[in-house]
Amino acid sequence: MDDQFWDTPIAAAARRAAQVKTPNSLTLPRPETPRKITVANQKGGVGKTTSSVNLAAGLSLHGLKVLVIDLDPQGNASTALGAEHHSGVLSSYEVIIGACTPAEALQKSPFNDNLYCIPATIDLAGAEIEMVSMVRREYRLADAISADFIAEHGFDYVIVDCPPSLGLLTINAMTAVTEVMIPIQAEYYALEGVGQLLNNITMIRQHLNPALHISAILLTMYDARTKLAEQVASEVREHFGEVVLTNMIPRSVKVSEAPGYGQTVLEYDPGSRGAMAYLDAAKELANRGDYPAHSDSPIGQAPTANPAGEEA
Ligand SMILES: Nc1ncnc2c1ncn2[C@@H]1O[C@H](COP(=O)(O)OP(=O)(O)OP(=O)(O)O)[C@@H](O)[C@H]1O
Ligand SMILES: [Mg+2]
């Protein structure tokens, strides 16, 4: 459908602006079955939360119904989505320990009618230890966020924001989904710890959730002015191949300012480069669909067979 004219940068910017101004018309493919994605990297501050909330906001603007589960006691995703999350508010903590249903902890984001959040409160900080003695401790979230719950609410995407660790909370996130998205900061030591993350995902595939695989890698905080960012980006692409999203997120002050206003950058400054980059990345993620793993490696690859199932 995209001919040359519509591929010009100005035309693309006009399309994005129109999407922000007339939100919620369905302009992206609805997945056949709901996609469940955990955003993980045990390295801190690489853009997990920023990517979770802004990709979710981008998908919701395109008419898809999205749930973000905040599984980090810091509650940063809840803040950015404008969700209430002081101690005592029903949250992912109560869901995980079985003290409430996910429906009871659900909040609609003021940003968009299609965007929902199960917030995290500081109460979640004790959950790692509390869960140790619980039955099915690795599956507390998976058991709670059932297919029935997702279908009942009509969610197209469930996105789980993880804490920067590889403890029981992150394991719970990875048994509750099939896809992992890894944000990688285009900086020194970008790949530090990623090897360990891959080992862990492989172990979870072997022992807890065979369906788990890495379906996307997103380069974040990309500074186009530096040679280093370019080098890191090409190293990551060389290492992981096509699973790396073509769209990268630039380093942008607007992106970092938005959470201070309890907003995603799509709400705070929809015309900014950061907002546009997240809209484009959300579009890419939805249009290309899942990248399943084809071999022993947990790293996804482009589907080879006719993915849209179109008749020849
Ligand atoms: N594209 C960007 N441009 C500028 N700043 C950014 C960008 N992405 C994220 N940041 C800022 O970098 C910091 C870390 O981002 P974020 O909180 O998303 O990382 P994280 O991986 O979730 O961190 P944590 O490991 O603590 O959960 C935040 O202050 C955020 O506002
Ligand atoms: Mg975070």
Side-chain angles (χ1 to χ4, degrees):
M1 212 216 300
D2 278 339
D3 58 24
Q4 271 177 341
F5 170 77
W6 288 108
D7 277 346
T8 63
I10 289 175
R15 265 202 312 268
R16 283 185 299 244
Q19 192 67 49
V20 173
K21 289 222 170 71
T22 51
N24 299 7
S25 54
L26 185 62
T27 45
L28 283 178
R30 181 159 268 151
E32 258 172 53
T33 52
R35 290 178 69 181
K36 298 181 283 181
I37 307 173
T38 280
V39 180
N41 188 334
Q42 78 275 27
K43 198 166 166 191
V46 297
K48 292 181 286 298
T49 301
T50 306
S51 300
S52 302
V53 300
N54 289 300
L55 289 173
L59 293 167
S60 74
L61 267 183
H62 284 92
L64 295 161
K65 195 163 177 189
V66 188
L67 167 63
V68 175
I69 301 176
D70 190 348
L71 216 58
D72 185 341
Q74 297 178 98
N76 294 338
S78 313
T79 303
L81 292 173
E84 240 187 278
H85 63 108
H86 53 81
S87 179
V89 170
L90 292 180
S91 68
S92 54
Y93 170 70
E94 282 80 6
V95 171
I96 274 192
I97 64 162
C100 82
T101 66
E104 287 169 333
L106 205 56
Q107 293 185 36
K108 185 155 84 174
S109 170
F111 170 63
N112 189 301
D113 284 350
N114 286 328
L115 184 55
Y116 287 76
C117 172
I118 292 181
T121 66
I122 192 65
D123 298 329
L124 191 61
E128 291 268 3
I129 293 166
E130 275 178 65
M131 273 191 287
V132 170
S133 59
M134 288 183 176
V135 287
R136 287 178 62 80
R137 62 186 175 192
E138 297 94 350
Y139 298 102
R140 305 292 307 187
L141 187 68
D143 290 347
I145 308 296
S146 64
D148 282 351
F149 163 75
I150 293 171
E152 213 170 281
H153 292 269
F155 291 122
D156 298 302
Y157 282 79
V158 176
I159 297 177
V160 189
D161 182 33
C162 278
S165 66
L166 291 169
L168 259 182
L169 284 173
T170 299
I171 292 175
N172 264 268
M174 291 197 186
T175 58
V177 302
T178 54
E179 302 180 42
V180 182
M181 162 181 281
I182 305 177
I184 291 182
Q185 186 179 349
E187 253 300 342
Y188 282 116
Y189 308 121
L191 292 176
E192 187 187 56
V194 172
Q196 205 198 338
L197 178 61
L198 293 189
N199 289 342
N200 280 42
I201 293 171
T202 300
M203 269 183 355
I204 292 172
R205 270 166 70 83
Q206 283 165 355
H207 301 290
L208 301 171
N209 179 12
L212 190 70
H213 60 276
I214 298 161
S215 67
I217 290 175
L218 178 63
L219 284 153
T220 63
M221 293 182 242
Y222 186 84
D223 187 343
R225 293 165 308 179
T226 70
K227 197 104 197 112
L228 174 72
E230 198 185 308
Q231 282 165 359
V232 171
S234 59
E235 195 184 333
V236 169
R237 288 187 196 284
E238 224 163 88
H239 200 269
F240 292 101
E242 55 201 352
V243 79
V244 184
L245 290 170
T246 309
N247 286 287
M248 302 187 281
I249 309 303
R251 183 173 280 287
S252 135
V253 177
K254 299 288 184 188
V255 170
S256 58
E257 283 174 353
Y261 297 85
Q263 293 178 337
T264 66
V265 73
L266 296 193
E267 187 178 14
Y268 176 63
D269 191 347
S272 64
R273 281 185 318 128
M276 293 197 184
Y278 270 116
L279 262 181
D280 286 343
K283 237 174 106 174
E284 186 182 3
L285 188 71
N287 278 328
R288 78 177 203 177
D290 190 1
Y291 269 31
H294 294 312
S295 60
D296 284 348
S297 157
I299 301 168
Q301 291 166 31
T304 42
N306 189 358
E310 284 156 359
E311 250 89 70

